[in-house]
Amino acid sequence: MWSVDRTRALCGILLLVTLIFVTGRLAGASLFSNHWSYNHWQHLPLWYGLLWLLFAGGLALTFARYGDRVASVIGSRRKIIATLALLLAGLVALQFDSFLYGGGNLRVAQIGQSDHVVYRWFEYGSVIIVSWLDAVMDLFSLHYNTAAVYAWKIFSFGCTALSLIGAAKLSEALSPNRRQRLFLFVILFFGPQAILNFGFVGVEPVIVAASTWFALTVVRLHERYTVGKLALLWGIVMLALVMHHTTAFLIPAAIYVTVQRQRRDHRTPVIALIAAGMALVGIVIAAYIRADHSLEFARSLLFLSGKRPHSDFGIFSARHLGDMLQLAALVFPQIVMVVLLLMTRNRGLSNRNDLNPALLLSAGGLVTAFILDPVNGIALDFPRLAAYLFPWSFLLALLLAEDSGQKEVFSRRVTALLAAFSLALPFSYLPSYIRIAKADPYVTDYLERHDAFFRDACLAFRDAYFYRRDFDRANAWEWKLPIKSHAHLNLEGIKNLALQGEPEEALRTAYKLIAQNPYWSEARAVLATIQMQQGRYHLAKPHIDTALMLEPYRRDNLVNQYRYYRDARQFDSAFKAIEGSARLFPNDNEMRSDLMIAFYRTAHHHAADSLADVLLSADSSLPYPYAVKGYLAEARHESQAAIHLYTKFLTLHPDKADSVAINEKLRQLTERQSRQ
């Protein structure tokens, strides 16, 4: 049996961890300057902290004393299925009431604000599934933003359902004991990734689902090796990579299992560990090599030195190390128990060959979370990073289940208390994330100390409140932009300088702004527009391409690409560019006008004439359809019709760029008519 002293020691350490966690909620904000993970309770009612303490204490008592009874109540297969369904329904009922975190507003725009979505290779699978769901939502005549939010949430809850089923099967595979199986399920499902189970808008829930089923396959391979199970393991890896590229952290563990199963001598574990370790290092190196040639990757990774405007936020900077420690302390303080259980394992009795893959999986997830850049600020992005810490709950469950069939059996009390703590812990901070009214003061507190994140945060809050039809709060956050974001204020100044006829001063300021914010596509789009207005197309093109790479579904970036080709008189390329853009934004009259002009300039006259009719039927005040129809009428020698159309164009918009040329055409046609 497990010694009484060891049980008491681990229970005491768990109690100490709990006390430290609670102390952090109560006083951590006054102890540290970078305290984003400690101040949730400061923005919640006083009673919430007290209620949480009662909840956690009652849960620990229930699990420790009545665990067998709870497990027996849901003992049958039918009751287990019903319980899982009720749990999923509860998560849906408590879901996020906004898409505030992790760039959720950009995800909604990516799907909802274009009819044809841009699929980037590193997240192809996830985004194409969401786009299919969005197409289904459109059948119900929903607003495009509403349809996109529903599509992302259905995807998210679908991943949560997969994680739920996977965690249930994984706990069943880890232990034959009904009581322990219940506690292991709680530890697995309510691990560090728990916040993603509430309808998070983003691709990260798929990472948790993939990791859960990968872990289940590893355990089943431990039970009985077959080639089919090994193929399934690699199938999960391949499918996960199609869904999102960061699931590459699964590869080292898969390599270890493959090598360990193909060779069966005493050197095999060492060889397998070396191969897996080299794979993990190789994946990290490959990511940074890619980042050296791609701003998409560079934007999402941290480097030794900070990236502007966060020059003090390098990968080993004090603030980043503090953020990572707080992340672990907030979502998985049980990591202390994992370390202790690893140190006190009875290696003489242990014969699990799935522990090393679990360790590799945990190391891969931790490395991934460590090198990723929280581009929106850690307070807004920590739910994304929490996805990569799920393997640590798997490792904890594995250690608790280890050797359960041998003479040494793990203490029921330790497992019960860990399960209670795992279930209670997420509810200590969830209200500050799930409810935007609670998130508002909490995130604002963080932004006041890290104001470089204000620009993206203002837009995220504005979009989230606008979606909720809380227009006063949406406007309040938009009004904060020029006050709180110096970069936004500078960009507005650059636009005004260009309008006032001072392009050189505007360009000098724009280059400085881009140097300070190299991953901000809007600033590059403005600079490219000014350069094209000055006829410097070769200087505009690199910024157009970079802006498109950073945000391929942003309208302004697509329009700039078309205008570059049009003004450079590369009409075939211009036609392809605007045709693709018009497919993405089929209801955008300005883009459709540009497509109409492209049709005309590439001699697709019938298509240009038809599109002009469509545009005028939608909005008779649009100027360029009259101009194009005038050109076509003149080409057909229909002078009277051309005069009427040119006159209409000049009446509606006399100050357009083409007005001088059209005025000259009108004068010539009028003189010709008068001579006849």
Side-chain angles (χ1 to χ4, degrees), residues 18-29 35-42 49 52 326 329-331 425 428-429:
T18 306
L19 288 173
I20 292 173
F21 181 84
V22 173
T23 303
R25 306 312 101 199
L26 296 173
H35 53 70
W36 63 269
S37 73
Y38 294 111
N39 61 342
H40 297 95
W41 286 4
Q42 292 183 7
W52 183 84
Q326 287 187 76
L330 178 66
V331 300
L425 187 148
S428 68
Y429 57 81

Side-chain angles (χ1 to χ4, degrees), residues 36-214:
W36 63 269
S37 73
Y38 294 111
N39 61 342
H40 297 95
W41 286 4
Q42 292 183 7
H43 305 289
L44 294 172
L46 177 62
W47 58 262
Y48 188 83
L50 297 174
L51 181 64
W52 183 84
L53 290 171
L54 291 173
F55 170 65
L59 201 61
L61 183 64
T62 302
F63 279 11
R65 288 198 173 184
Y66 307 107
D68 286 324
R69 189 175 301 177
V70 174
S72 64
V73 169
I74 56 172
S76 69
R77 178 71 60 179
R78 184 178 297 176
K79 289 180 179 178
I80 289 172
I81 293 172
T83 302
L84 294 179
L86 284 173
L87 178 55
L88 183 61
L91 296 173
V92 173
L94 294 173
Q95 65 181 282
F96 286 92
D97 67 356
S98 72
F99 41 76
L100 182 61
Y101 301 99
N105 60 320
L106 301 180
R107 289 295 185 185
V108 172
Q110 177 185 10
I111 297 296
Q113 297 178 13
S114 59
D115 273 16
H116 297 268
V117 181
V118 176
Y119 303 109
R120 293 182 286 183
W121 66 267
F122 53 83
E123 57 181 16
Y124 182 85
S126 298
V127 175
I128 198 168
I129 289 174
V130 177
S131 68
W132 290 341
L133 291 170
D134 180 64
V136 174
M137 293 297 104
D138 285 338
L139 298 176
F140 298 95
S141 301
L142 298 172
H143 186 275
Y144 54 83
N145 280 336
T146 303
V149 172
Y150 283 177
W152 275 110
K153 290 206 170 185
I154 291 170
F155 173 77
S156 181
F157 281 118
C159 293
T160 297
L162 286 173
S163 300
L164 188 66
I165 297 168
K169 289 182 173 294
L170 183 52
S171 62
E172 187 177 3
L174 287 172
S175 176
N177 181 275
R178 184 183 296 169
R179 171 193 170 104
Q180 189 183 35
R181 192 184 301 164
L182 169 65
F183 293 153
L184 294 181
F185 166 78
V186 171
I187 289 168
L188 287 165
F189 188 69
F190 291 96
Q193 79 290 350
I195 192 170
L196 297 173
N197 295 333
F198 293 84
F200 181 81
V201 173
V203 300
E204 284 71 22
V206 81
I207 295 165
V208 179
S211 302
T212 304
W213 285 87
F214 181 92

Side-chain angles (χ1 to χ4, degrees), residues 342-355:
L342 282 170
M343 293 172 61
T344 58
R345 290 173 63 232
N346 191 327
R347 291 171 179 79
L349 290 175
S350 174
N351 191 33
R352 294 199 73 104
N353 55 20
D354 51 2
L355 186 60

Side-chain angles (χ1 to χ4, degrees), residues 199-509:
F200 181 81
V201 173
V203 300
E204 284 71 22
V206 81
I207 295 165
V208 179
S211 302
T212 304
W213 285 87
F214 181 92
L216 174 61
T217 309
V218 167
V219 171
R220 286 179 171 172
L221 274 166
H222 162 68
E223 293 172 349
R224 182 172 176 270
Y225 171 78
T226 66
V227 175
K229 289 178 183 176
L230 185 62
L232 176 61
L233 187 76
W234 279 103
I236 291 171
V237 173
M238 294 300 105
L239 180 60
L241 285 172
V242 171
M243 301 302 282
H244 199 257
H245 70 292
T246 56
T247 51
F249 76 87
L250 302 174
I251 293 175
I255 289 174
Y256 177 89
V257 172
T258 304
V259 174
Q260 191 260 347
R261 282 298 180 178
Q262 295 305 311
R263 294 173 55 95
R264 301 307 296 270
D265 57 51
H266 68 282
R267 295 176 300 172
T268 299
V270 176
I271 295 171
L273 278 173
I274 291 172
M278 290 176 64
L280 180 58
V281 172
I283 289 168
V284 174
I285 291 173
Y288 278 97
I289 290 174
R290 178 73 181 180
D292 192 45
H293 303 286
S294 168
L295 277 183
E296 282 177 319
F297 270 63
R299 184 186 188 188
S300 64
L301 293 176
L302 288 169
F303 297 88
L304 291 175
S305 57
K307 300 181 297 187
R308 293 181 178 181
H310 312 287
S311 56
D312 62 336
F313 196 67
I315 193 167
F316 295 113
S317 65
R319 186 152 68 88
H320 180 241
L321 294 176
D323 285 347
M324 290 297 101
L325 287 172
Q326 287 187 76
L327 176 65
L330 178 66
V331 300
F332 199 65
Q334 302 97 304
I335 196 169
V336 175
M337 302 299 294
V338 173
V339 173
L340 289 172
L341 288 169
L342 282 170
M343 293 172 61
T344 58
R345 290 173 63 232
N346 191 327
R347 291 171 179 79
L349 290 175
S350 174
N351 191 33
R352 294 199 73 104
N353 55 20
D354 51 2
L355 186 60
N356 282 339
L359 285 165
L360 287 164
L361 202 59
S362 301
L366 185 62
V367 168
T368 305
F370 189 76
I371 66 175
L372 288 177
D373 187 356
V375 293
N376 302 296
I378 189 67
L380 285 167
D381 271 9
F382 108 79
R384 292 195 309 112
L385 301 181
Y388 303 98
L389 299 185
F390 162 76
W392 286 92
S393 60
F394 168 52
L395 181 57
L396 176 60
L398 195 64
L399 288 167
L400 291 170
E402 188 180 35
D403 299 319
S404 59
Q406 303 290 343
K407 291 181 181 179
E408 183 178 0
V409 180
F410 272 79
S411 167
R412 292 183 172 189
R413 184 172 300 172
V414 173
T415 309
L417 292 177
L418 275 168
F421 186 58
S422 296
L423 177 55
L425 187 148
F427 291 95
S428 68
Y429 57 81
L430 275 174
S432 295
Y433 285 88
I434 288 180
R435 298 291 169 255
I436 192 171
K438 303 299 181 186
D440 197 322
Y442 160 67
V443 176
T444 300
D445 184 29
Y446 172 80
L447 295 173
E448 292 292 350
R449 287 174 283 110
H450 305 287
D451 60 359
F453 295 109
F454 249 115
R455 187 186 73 242
D456 292 336
C458 285
L459 297 174
F461 271 103
R462 180 202 66 187
D463 294 345
Y465 275 121
F466 185 83
Y467 174 75
R468 291 173 51 79
R469 298 184 180 278
D470 188 344
F471 301 121
D472 289 340
R473 292 302 302 157
N475 289 332
W477 274 96
E478 186 162 29
W479 292 335
K480 283 185 181 183
L481 265 172
I483 300 170
K484 296 293 188 179
S485 174
H486 298 300
H488 176 83
L489 190 60
N490 286 337
L491 187 64
E492 292 302 310
I494 290 165
K495 293 176 183 177
N496 289 333
L497 284 171
L499 288 173
Q500 292 168 9
E502 300 184 44
E504 297 305 324
E505 183 61 30
L507 287 170
R508 278 193 292 270
T509 310

Side-chain angles (χ1 to χ4, degrees), residues 614-628:
V614 171
L615 285 166
L616 290 174
S617 65
D619 184 356
S620 60
S621 67
L622 294 172
Y624 282 106
Y626 293 107
V628 168

